[in-house]
Amino acid sequence: MINIINIQGDEKVTAMLPMRDTDVDNYLVMTTANGKIKRNRVKDYMNIRSNGLIAINLEEDDRLTWVCQTDGSMNVIMVSQNGKCLKFPESSVRTMGRTAIGVRSMKLAKGDKLIYVGVVKNTDDVLIVSEKGIGKRTPAALIPVHGRTTGGQNITNIHQLDKIGKIAAALVLHENDDVTFMSSSGNIVRLRGTLIPSLSRTARGVRLVRLE
């Protein structure tokens, strides 16, 4: 990667997006590990120098973790490891200068952290899977819209987290998508998205992956 872009010191690549010349009217939504979020027009980054541009300024203990391209009319979806989920309009994040730090997003309880940020339409599903391989998909339309700085709602049965494990991963699932699950021991399972049960927002889910 260092032969493609000029990376300094302990800097790491955290996101990669395909871009076309016709995307100039779209937006980039950036979210940090600590939950700061900002939105810029794609055209702000179309003329990038060989040594790069500053995409976002970060606080000392933070890092850029998620970047999504949007059309300006989508909802942002956030999922935490303790089973909370927040959906809010991307328009609630005003467009900012390229070097802005961003604004506060989902309010997390002490000890909780974000594990996924994406953009979603009501025709999509939100897929979650726990540390113990329990998962489900939930229609995005069943997840209510709330304010950007609220704590969101449950995306699983949080009273059974001790049995199913914390949320390990989440994903916006589109029609006809397949999903590949990879365990820490190196096992891989691939499932057709439509075969994953579609359940209510607070359902715990079913076993999707058998772990050793």
Side-chain angles (χ1 to χ4, degrees), residues 133-151:
I134 306 297
K136 63 173 182 175
R137 60 187 173 99
T138 297
L142 296 184
I143 302 173
V145 172
H146 282 271
R148 169 174 53 84
T149 59
T150 62

Side-chain angles (χ1 to χ4, degrees), residues 72-161:
S73 63
M74 303 177 75
N75 287 315
V76 176
I77 195 90
M78 294 182 163
V79 180
S80 80
Q81 68 174 3
N82 286 346
K84 292 292 186 177
C85 177
L86 176 63
K87 185 174 82 171
F88 59 89
E90 66 165 284
S91 58
S92 68
V93 183
R94 62 179 176 82
T95 54
M96 305 175 191
R98 185 171 49 79
T99 59
I101 291 177
V103 295
R104 189 161 55 90
S105 62
M106 184 177 182
K107 183 179 180 180
L108 296 171
K110 186 176 181 179
D112 201 2
K113 67 177 183 179
L114 289 174
I115 55 97
Y116 179 75
V117 178
V119 289
V120 65
K121 296 182 178 180
N122 278 340
T123 53
D124 297 327
D125 290 329
V126 177
L127 169 69
I128 61 167
V129 61
S130 75
E131 296 168 332
K132 297 183 180 180
I134 306 297
K136 63 173 182 175
R137 60 187 173 99
T138 297
L142 296 184
I143 302 173
V145 172
H146 282 271
R148 169 174 53 84
T149 59
T150 62
Q153 293 188 311
N154 298 341
I155 192 64
T156 186
N157 187 334
I158 62 171
H159 302 295
Q160 296 193 25
L161 286 181

